[in-house]
Amino acid sequence: MPTATQHVTIALCTYNGAPYLTEQLTSYLDQTHENWSLWVSDDGSTDGTWDILRAFRRQHGQTHDVRLIKGPGKGACQNFLSLLCHPEFPHGYVALSDQDDVWFRDKHSRALGVIGDDRQKAVLYGAQSIHTGPDLHPIGRSRVPVTDPHFCNAIVQNIVSGHSAVLSPEALRTVRNFGAPADVPFHDWWIYQVISGTGGRVLIDDRAVLNYRQHAANVIGAPRGIRAALKRLNGLRKCAYQTWVRQNAKALWNRRGLLDPSARRILQLYFEAQPRPGLNRVRVLRALGIKRQARFGTVTLYMAGFMGWL
């Protein structure tokens, strides 16, 4: 069980989040685990986001430390990674937060209970979410991964949602060691790769811990339905997904001295097989154990390798 002495720093990144931000901030105040502080990195909002944040700090800054900083202005991924790597960012447990969700009251306590109190182990926690419309009316929920998290999956797929992610103190230290590479596409995918590639533990909770609001301004949105599947296939055809995978792999390779030996070997073989599409490429992917969670996703992945898209 978590203790009151376990402090959690909430890492919130904002950009023009005024329509929904107040509800998210209120959900922090409702947490049953009350030992938390808030660091916010705003990426250049032009709406009322700063006014909301300043008002929150005035009203609750005596109870919870609230720090507001300006982000790099390079998108959500760099905003989150630069925040985590800020030289004054507190060491300890950290919960990543989107600006438009609503957390359940036991989100902190649930994550801390699952992670445990071993401060020497790098642990990344992820959980499930209830998908809602803009009015928080439920429209679905996230899917629990069918296989355990591992580096060979992390190379080609992210299964740790950033809006639910909580890092142990050692996991935060590990992420800071890897820094904020300019070309990685998604912060949560990168963190999953970093922790799984350094021998850390990745724990996926099957319980929902927040309402994940779907609206027109979502950076990614929930991967639900036929439209989302067609969008992913179109991304394969246009090589967007291929570009993301290679950007991540290159950034990891540039920091390969921080990876464990097995992860370094997998990356090396992955790069060596890249110039050769066709069946040989598929054989290499299978031999390395590189696969997605769903069988159809893995088949699509191998097809992309055969066609030279991956």
Side-chain angles (χ1 to χ4, degrees), residues 195-218:
I195 300 304
S196 62
T198 54
R201 297 172 62 203
V202 180
L203 305 176
I204 305 297
D205 196 350
D206 60 4
R207 181 184 294 183
V209 298
L210 58 89
N211 285 322
Y212 180 24
R213 196 192 310 255
Q214 303 297 293
H215 55 84
N218 284 122

Side-chain angles (χ1 to χ4, degrees), residues 29 49 51 56 102 124 139 152 157 168 187 196 208 283 296:
L29 299 172
T49 295
D51 293 335
F56 184 83
V102 175
L124 171 62
I139 58 176
C152 290
Q157 182 181 20
S168 73
H187 63 283
S196 62
R283 292 190 188 99
F296 176 76

Side-chain angles (χ1 to χ4, degrees), residues 151 155 178 181 183-184 190 193-194 197-198 244-274 288:
F151 183 67
I155 290 177
F178 276 77
D183 292 334
V184 296
W190 173 250
Q193 292 180 327
V194 164
T198 54
W244 297 340
V245 171
R246 290 184 176 180
Q247 285 173 330
N248 282 333
K250 182 178 179 181
L252 288 168
W253 187 249
N254 289 339
R255 295 156 179 78
R256 58 189 176 276
L258 299 172
L259 296 171
D260 62 27
S262 62
R264 285 200 302 271
R265 180 59 175 164
I266 290 168
L267 274 181
Q268 179 182 351
L269 294 174
Y270 171 81
F271 280 122
E272 289 176 353
Q274 269 190 352
L288 293 176

